[in-house]
Amino acid sequence: MPFHETLAQHVDLVAPEHPGFGDSELPAHFRDFGDFVLHYDEFLRALDAEPVHLVGTSLGGRIAAHLATVYPERFASLTLIVPAGLRGEGSRPDPFRQTPEAAIDLLTNGRADRLQAELAGFDYPESVVQGYREDTTLALLTFTNRYDRLLEHRLSRVGIPSLVIDAEEDRVLGRGDAARYAELIPGAVRTVIPGPAPHEPSSHALHVEQPEAVAAAIVAHIRSTSASNE
């Protein structure tokens, strides 16, 4: 994606697929976020590239937050982009009762028509099969665990420089999730990326719609962290 390409111009980037998403199979023994934490612990051991700067967006942000609470010493910094997993303000759409079209509309605040290149490649029937597999993984993780009260208490363990990147109008999560992360992680900084044009508030698909702005915020955070450690 353009976001990865932009970020990779400034850092050595590794962007793994979560088990159960994309072309990566979900191991039969996986049951919850703890299994993802152990998976990425093994992944980092295999890379032998510690400490790393950890970045996660949406559900990946929730996984990254779990990982940083269990193994904070593995990471030089943490960046969460519109992270899911905490209870924000008001109600929010049910991801398991949406059509694909409605989901894309919520992700982009109704601007999916401008992202044809980024959203291309979803061919029938392959996209239907993959979507079912990914929804199955999402349900395993969140169907009865939309909000994680235990994570709220554990975020105080994240003793590394942390940045929370938020949207102006997140129609997927509603208001307050990212702000709550910034409040609970010691010393975390929250920044809001503006929308692509006046009167067009930024959306949950921040890194898709605004790849340069999001990448710039991450790179600045990494450089700041690295400078302070010199």
Side-chain angles (χ1 to χ4, degrees), residues 6 12-13 32 48 82 101 107 129 171 180 184 221 230:
T6 302
D12 294 324
L13 179 67
D32 55 29
D48 192 25
V82 289
E101 293 78 13
L107 278 169
V129 174
R171 297 181 186 177
R180 185 69 175 145
L184 293 171
H221 177 55
E230 292 178 353

Side-chain angles (χ1 to χ4, degrees), residues 16 36 62 79 87 102 155-156 181 210 219:
F36 280 78
R62 183 172 177 177
T79 300
R87 190 180 186 96
L155 286 173
S156 62
Y181 270 102
Q210 308 276 72
V219 171

Side-chain angles (χ1 to χ4, degrees), residues 12-184:
D12 294 324
L13 179 67
V14 178
E17 284 186 335
H18 300 311
F21 293 88
D23 294 325
S24 300
E25 295 291 336
L26 181 71
H29 67 276
F30 271 43
R31 290 294 179 270
D32 55 29
F33 283 96
D35 290 310
F36 280 78
V37 169
L38 295 178
H39 166 80
Y40 280 115
D41 171 53
E42 294 179 8
F43 179 79
L44 289 169
R45 289 174 186 274
L47 286 182
D48 192 25
E50 300 178 69
V52 299
H53 297 273
L54 179 62
V55 180
T57 181
S58 193
L59 178 69
R62 183 172 177 177
I63 294 173
H66 275 279
L67 192 56
T69 64
V70 178
Y71 300 109
E73 70 281 356
R74 287 193 177 279
F75 306 105
S77 73
L78 173 67
T79 300
L80 303 177
I81 308 167
V82 289
L86 300 184
R87 190 180 186 96
E89 304 171 14
S91 60
R92 63 192 68 191
D94 187 338
F96 303 106
R97 303 183 70 178
Q98 297 173 6
T99 64
E101 293 78 13
I104 292 294
D105 186 70
L106 290 170
L107 278 169
T108 62
N109 290 0
R111 297 187 290 266
D113 58 320
R114 304 183 194 175
L115 302 169
Q116 295 300 316
E118 291 81 358
L119 300 176
F122 296 94
D123 301 319
Y124 183 88
E126 289 81 5
S127 63
V128 176
V129 174
Q130 179 172 315
Y132 178 80
R133 289 175 49 237
E134 294 183 352
D135 284 347
T136 299
T137 304
L138 182 64
L140 173 71
L141 291 172
T142 67
F143 193 80
T144 59
N145 187 24
R146 306 293 174 90
Y147 319 111
D148 195 327
R149 293 178 176 83
L150 292 178
L151 181 59
E152 286 193 355
H153 296 290
R154 293 170 180 170
L155 286 173
S156 62
R157 288 176 44 84
V158 183
I160 53 178
S162 300
L163 173 67
V164 181
I165 300 178
D166 201 1
E168 292 175 318
E169 185 178 312
D170 191 330
R171 297 181 186 177
V172 174
L173 297 179
R175 298 180 55 188
D177 284 50
R180 185 69 175 145
Y181 270 102
E183 177 185 338
L184 293 171

